[in-house]
Amino acid sequence: MDETIFFYEPDDPYGFLSNFACYPIVVEEEKWSSTEHYYQANKFLKSQMRDEIKYAGSPDEAFKLSRHYEKHIREDWSSVKLEVMKKAIFEKFAQHPKLAFLLLNTEDHELKEHSHKDAYWGDGGNGKGENNLGKILMEAREFLKEIRPYNLIRYVDSSILPTEWGTFALHGFVEPENQQEHVALTLGKWTADSAVLTRLHSECLTGDAFASMRCDCGYQLRKSLELIAKQGSGVLLYLRQEGRGIGLLNKIKAYHLQDDGDDTIEANLNLGLAADMRYYDFVEGMLSYLNVKKIRLLTNNPEKINALNNCNIEITERVPMVEGINPYNFNYVETKAMKMGHKIDIGPEGQRFRANAKTYN
Ligand SMILES: Nc1nc(O)c(N)c(N[C@@H]2O[C@H](COP(=O)(O)O)[C@@H](O)[C@H]2O)n1
Ligand SMILES: [Zn+2]
């Protein structure tokens, strides 16, 4: 096991692991302000004491009330307290996906509650305590590793990203299965009920970084960031699936075939690859980390709409993304509309380019 992570005060690093951190849970339709409230109230069978602790103003107050009534603790408490604590901890991480990702982010480090006051739940301050709270947290971490969406994606870290459209937050994720990296750019705030303006953008080095006119990706990327900034809040998920999932070098081979007359679908197939090799199941985890459940989706691609519906995301609106039509990408965009069902209305403006569209794709 990697070196030990110690936690104690809710405001310290890793404080989210503490029962005194205020993360509400609902258990059997009862709402509790923190796991500490739930744990301490379950020491008592008398409803008056339970309720006084349940409605205490803070986890500290719930703890103190429990000490005040300690003569009335249920007789079987020593035999049930481990299960009560485990229930509280498992519900905490089940009901707060972001915390679940942060718990998984502790990887294989030993977790210890560094409490000199408690040698049962903590390490007793001298490292010799039983650390039963740490053991339950590590058990919860192992459980989460096996269930969706945590078995498909892991949160790694975040930073600030100033851009010409505004200052975004940049969040890094990785697929544990293949170590494939993905990022999310976020701006502003929302609640789980908000319909968040969201772009699901597939990596296109040529378009996104080299401003290629051969496709519409770079135009869509820049327009998405501009729209999110104008909205004041939103998410851009940047999925590292270059070339519709065939990779950059295969995309160059596909481009070469298109230089010789293939269209964008024929080229993939002639390389012995599928027309589109992308997958999106891990997106559910990225959006749950970001507390996004409802979205206004910036896309023309029906596959992305289907994929997000399969990720239990409610799409309240599709926002079209017909950007940067020009002679170099006219045939490519039209092929996506004709052969991949993209909902693209090129319009009279765009039709002007049909006459001088480059025939290489
Ligand atoms: N395989 C392949 N062949 C081409 O000719 C292409 N232009 C691309 N581009 C990739 O397509 C993705 C964006 O498409 P959507 O509009 O999101 O469907 C992106 O991965 C580009 O690299 N790929
Ligand atoms: Zn592109």
Side-chain angles (χ1 to χ4, degrees):
M1 185 156 294
D2 300 342
E3 68 177 48
T4 302
I5 289 175
F6 293 97
F7 66 94
Y8 186 58
E9 294 294 347
D11 297 335
D12 290 346
Y14 300 101
F16 71 94
L17 296 170
S18 164
N19 284 323
F20 288 76
C22 291
Y23 294 102
I25 57 172
V26 177
V27 180
E28 281 117 44
E29 296 177 3
E30 271 196 284
K31 187 167 179 180
W32 303 84
S33 308
S34 72
T35 47
E36 188 66 15
H37 284 79
Y38 174 79
Y39 174 77
Q40 296 298 349
N42 273 281
K43 288 180 177 176
F44 306 94
L45 300 175
K46 279 193 177 162
S47 58
Q48 174 263 326
M49 293 174 190
R50 275 176 64 86
D51 285 351
E52 210 177 320
I53 294 171
K54 177 176 177 181
Y55 296 110
S58 69
D60 278 312
E61 204 180 311
F63 174 83
K64 286 178 187 138
L65 279 166
S66 157
R67 287 290 180 275
H68 175 69
Y69 288 125
E70 65 182 347
K71 292 193 185 65
H72 303 282
I73 290 176
R74 57 195 279 191
E75 287 175 12
D76 65 345
W77 181 243
S78 57
S79 64
V80 301
K81 64 183 180 181
L82 262 178
E83 277 313 304
V84 170
M85 182 65 87
K86 184 173 173 180
K87 176 73 174 168
I89 298 301
F90 274 62
E91 288 297 342
K92 173 175 173 177
F93 291 99
Q95 297 176 29
H96 295 275
K98 184 165 185 173
L99 298 187
F101 279 108
L102 293 174
L103 175 60
L104 286 160
N105 191 254
T106 63
E107 297 178 334
D108 289 324
H109 291 273
E110 183 181 26
L111 304 176
K112 271 193 175 178
E113 186 188 38
H114 191 47
S115 165
H116 58 283
K117 298 177 209 162
D118 190 333
Y120 179 80
W121 292 117
D123 67 357
N126 58 9
K128 296 191 170 61
E130 292 184 42
N131 185 43
N132 286 299
L133 176 58
K135 287 172 186 165
I136 292 174
L137 286 164
M138 289 183 277
E139 188 183 338
R141 183 173 66 188
E142 289 311 303
F143 172 76
L144 289 168
K145 283 179 182 173
E146 303 307 321
I147 64 168
R148 194 166 166 155
Y150 309 108
N151 59 339
L152 298 174
I153 197 84
R154 293 286 164 76
Y155 167 74
V156 176
D157 207 344
S158 301
S159 76
I160 294 170
L161 190 76
T163 77
E164 57 188 85
W165 296 280
T167 297
F168 287 75
L170 178 66
H171 310 275
F173 296 85
V174 67
E175 294 179 60
E177 184 89 4
N178 55 16
Q179 295 307 299
Q180 177 58 64
E181 300 167 344
H182 304 284
V183 295
L185 274 71
T186 61
L187 184 79
K189 296 190 183 312
W190 49 82
T191 66
D193 291 334
S194 311
V196 181
L197 186 61
T198 299
R199 167 73 181 161
L200 203 53
H201 192 83
S202 304
E203 179 182 38
C204 175
L205 178 78
T206 47
D208 300 341
F210 304 151
S212 162
M213 295 176 73
R214 190 165 177 164
C215 65
D216 53 351
C217 307
Y219 303 95
Q220 290 177 318
L221 176 65
R222 292 184 288 276
K223 187 68 177 175
S224 299
L225 292 171
E226 178 196 320
L227 290 174
I228 290 169
K230 202 176 284 178
Q231 175 79 27
S233 66
V235 172
L236 183 130
L237 298 184
Y238 195 84
L239 309 185
R240 313 292 306 278
Q241 299 188 59
E242 173 71 62
R244 295 199 298 268
I246 69 173
L248 178 60
L249 299 183
N250 279 330
K251 186 173 92 170
I252 297 172
K253 290 178 186 171
Y255 271 2
H256 187 163
L257 291 176
Q258 292 171 53
D259 294 347
D260 298 341
D262 277 6
D263 71 24
T264 184
I265 307 297
E266 292 160 348
N268 271 33
L269 299 177
N270 287 334
L271 288 174
L273 302 166
D276 193 332
M277 294 177 72
R278 290 173 286 184
Y279 56 96
Y280 302 97
D281 51 359
F282 61 88
V283 166
E284 178 181 352
M286 295 173 82
L287 291 176
S288 71
Y289 172 83
L290 299 170
N291 193 32
V292 173
K293 292 184 169 47
K294 272 198 273 187
I295 63 174
R296 296 174 55 229
L297 183 61
L298 291 156
T299 192
N300 306 320
N301 187 339
E303 273 306 301
K304 292 179 181 177
I305 294 171
N306 297 336
L308 284 165
N309 286 328
N310 294 334
C311 288
N312 307 309
I313 297 293
E314 181 187 345
I315 299 174
T316 60
E317 178 192 359
R318 180 183 77 83
V319 181
M321 277 247 97
V322 183
E323 302 297 330
I325 305 299
N326 68 71
Y328 298 100
N329 65 15
F330 184 89
N331 290 345
Y332 165 66
V333 172
E334 192 167 63
T335 302
K336 285 204 286 186
M338 310 287 276
K339 287 192 171 181
M340 301 180 85
H342 283 221
K343 301 180 184 323
I344 298 172
D345 174 9
I346 291 180
E349 272 301 290
Q351 289 301 342
R352 287 179 300 120
F353 299 115
R354 179 183 300 282
N356 59 342
K358 296 303 166 203
T359 53
Y360 55 67
N361 67 345

